[in-house]
Structures are given as structure tokens and as C-alpha cells.
Amino acid sequence: MERESATTYEPKRNSEIRVFESLDEISTDLAEYISQISEISVKERGYFAIALSGGPLVSFLRKLCEAPYNKTLDWSKWYIFWSDERAVAKNHAESNYKLTKEGFLAKVPILNGHVYSINDNATVEDAAKDYEFVIRQLVKVRTIGVSESNDCPKFDLILLDMGADGHVASLFPNHPALELKDDWVTYITDSPQPPPERITFTLPVINSASNIAIVATGDDKAKAMHLAVFDGIEGPEAPALLPARMVKPTDGKLVWFLDKAAASSLEAEKGGNASYEHHEYLL
Ligand SMILES: O=C1O[C@H](COP(=O)(O)O)[C@@H](O)[C@H](O)[C@H]1O
């Protein structure tokens, strides 16, 4: 797709950073990006397994609910999951399910039976176990793909929204949950942002996806963006374990969708070949 106003930092390997002039343009490009991945997944696998997140990300799905996508996409093949959920009731203002239901699911013809929300009627420990069990069943029948490198689920697309502290899903800087290798879904009871109890995909699951998109907008994200992308940043500003920096697809592709404000710390590096942790991007 042609992106007239986006600045694209071309990666040499499997990542790309797209920078847009406006939030509306992010929504337009994200809709086309998701649409293309869903069409490829349905063609190749017969299903499209997508995991969503909370935060401003949901509002960027608005163009996907409009023409032509509302008519052209094969919504009956979509399977919806969440990369994380807060331990609140589904009708609570802080529920990622509620946010997604109102901002996206209520506007498109996805089958109710294909919406795999996280149990809000159990302890976080049990809800995490249940969710992993459900995902394991769907991997067995290949509604969700499986990674060729490990036995992890291979979601066709995981959509993440980066917080100002560099968190993604409910994986927070320096949290022990970042080091889990065998669990697919875990829980935390000490989130630095409310509510404290949350259920989240682990990094092995995120990194096994075929496609990962991270949306970050606003100048409060600029510092985390810099830490997430550039090499050699040390000191108190740089947590040893920064979740957004740890998103490194094993076999898939990562695309960042940024506005100018979130990308301002990258723009400052323009003028040469800046060295990034994962790849060399041509600036
Ligand atoms: O707590 C959460 O926050 C992030 C996004 O952070 P925000 O500061 O941009 O609102 C979101 O991706 C995640 O799903 C959510 O649970």
C-alpha cells in the first residue's frame, strides 16, 4: 500500500518503523496492514488469529470498521484473543475486553464464538491457567498456528500498545515475568499501574507471532521509544529489562506505528546510519 505521508525507516531484517503525520493516518495504514495480514492468513491457513491489547490502540482500529473493510474482509474467519487483561469485571471501565467490545467488536461481524476473552470470574492465577489451556486446545487443532522453532502458539498478528514506561501487554520494566520461558500466559499481582492484578502473554508467545505491531503515540512515549530502539543506552533512565526492547520476532516481522511526537527521539538521530539494537535502520 502507498503511504504518502509516512516516513518509513527501512530495516535490513525483520522490523520496520512507520512514522505518520497524524493519528488519522495511523488508523488508515493500520487498517490496511491488518486487512492484508488477515487475507494472507485466511488464504494460507483458513483462519486469522489476532491478539489485541488495550490502551489507545483500540481507537486506531476505527478505520477497520468502515468501508471497504467492513464489507470485504472475511470476518467469519477471525478469532480474537487478548495479549493482556486487567483483573476487573468485563463491564469495568478498566477492562480491555470492554474497551475492545465498544470500540471494535460491536462494529464488525465477528462471530461471538470466536471471541476468546479472559475469564473475569476467577483468580488471576486460574484465569491465566484457563487462558493458556484454551490456547493450547486451539493450537492442537491449528486454529492458532504453531511456531516451527518452538512449540509456542504462532498468532497471525499480535497488536500491542507501548506505555510511556516501555511496557507492552502487561509486561512491565524489570518485572520477573519478562524472564519466563515456558509459560504462555502468566499473571502479575504487582502492576506498577492500576489495577495491580493482570493476566498477560509472555515474551515467548509474543515473539513467536507471524506479525507483531506496536503502536505508540504522544510525546510521553518518545523516551521509551528511544530506549526501545537504540543501542548502548545505560544509566537510571534505561531499565535493564525494557519490555518494548525485548519484542524481537523469532521468525516473524515487527512493525512500529508511530506519530511524530513518539518518534521525535528517533528523528533527532537523522543524518547518518544510526545503530539500533536489532538492526541497522537507514535513517
Ligand atoms: O495497561 C495497559 O497499557 C498498555 C498501553 O499503555 P498506555 O499508557 O498507552 O495506555 C496496553 O497496551 C495494555 O494492553 C494495557 O493493559
Side-chain angles (χ1 to χ4, degrees):
M1 184 211 177
E2 206 173 311
R3 290 186 306 278
E4 280 177 8
S5 53
T7 308
T8 303
Y9 298 89
E10 291 293 342
K12 286 189 177 162
R13 277 179 50 212
N14 57 353
S15 301
E16 182 186 337
I17 300 176
R18 299 181 187 176
V19 184
F20 297 87
E21 295 286 337
S22 70
L23 302 184
D24 215 45
E25 286 166 18
I26 295 184
S27 183
T28 302
D29 196 54
L30 193 64
E32 183 57 25
Y33 165 85
I34 297 170
S35 144
Q36 287 178 5
I37 295 172
S38 82
E39 283 180 0
I40 291 168
S41 305
V42 171
K43 199 167 161 198
E44 290 181 352
R45 300 198 317 104
Y47 305 102
F48 177 51
I50 175 173
L52 304 167
S53 299
L57 167 75
V58 177
S59 68
F60 289 115
L61 300 179
R62 61 184 179 274
K63 296 263 165 118
L64 199 58
C65 308
E66 297 171 2
Y69 308 109
N70 54 354
K71 298 276 183 282
T72 56
L73 290 182
D74 191 350
W75 296 103
S76 68
K77 303 292 192 317
W78 281 51
Y79 287 75
I80 304 292
F81 302 84
W82 275 264
S83 72
D84 79 312
E85 182 56 283
R86 291 98 176 266
V88 293
K90 284 199 171 73
N91 60 1
H92 191 281
E94 288 182 323
S95 160
N96 284 344
Y97 170 82
K98 177 180 159 73
L99 188 70
T100 317
K101 174 86 186 165
E102 292 172 356
F104 177 56
L105 297 176
K107 301 175 181 172
V108 289
I110 292 171
L111 302 173
N112 285 339
H114 292 183
V115 176
Y116 290 89
S117 59
I118 297 175
N119 191 350
D120 63 342
N121 205 13
T123 63
V124 268
E125 184 174 5
D126 287 346
K129 272 191 203 143
D130 288 357
Y131 209 49
E132 180 165 321
F133 179 79
V134 167
I135 292 172
R136 283 190 185 275
Q137 303 314 303
L138 293 169
V139 168
K140 271 190 196 148
V141 296
R142 294 293 187 268
T143 303
I144 302 170
V146 64
S147 162
E148 296 87 35
S149 333
N150 50 42
D151 71 343
C152 273
K154 187 173 186 172
F155 285 90
D156 299 305
L157 174 60
I158 297 183
L159 289 177
L160 301 168
D161 184 312
M162 183 183 74
D165 59 355
H167 82 267
V168 291
S170 281
L171 295 169
F172 289 89
N174 292 338
H175 196 281
L178 288 166
E179 298 184 270
L180 293 171
K181 300 275 180 287
D182 299 325
D183 301 87
W184 290 1
V185 182
T186 193
Y187 65 96
I188 62 170
T189 55
D190 56 356
S191 163
Q193 292 175 18
E197 297 197 325
R198 291 151 176 255
I199 295 102
T200 183
F201 279 2
T202 58
L203 279 173
V205 169
I206 292 174
N207 286 333
S208 296
S210 297
N211 297 279
I212 307 166
I214 310 182
V215 176
T217 54
D219 50 16
D220 62 325
K221 310 279 169 88
K223 193 184 284 179
M225 197 56 221
H226 196 261
L227 294 173
V229 172
F230 285 103
D231 270 338
I233 296 179
E234 286 164 9
E237 304 244 336
L241 298 178
L242 186 79
R245 189 183 179 89
M246 298 171 86
V247 176
K248 298 176 187 175
T250 318
D251 301 310
K253 183 169 179 201
L254 166 64
V255 182
W256 289 88
F257 291 82
L258 309 177
D259 67 353
K260 288 260 178 196
S264 56
S265 57
L266 310 184
E267 299 280 331
E269 304 288 332
K270 258 187 177 170
N273 279 356
S275 172
Y276 290 80
E277 190 200 18
H278 316 319
H279 323 286
E280 291 275 318
Y281 289 83
L282 303 177
L283 294 182

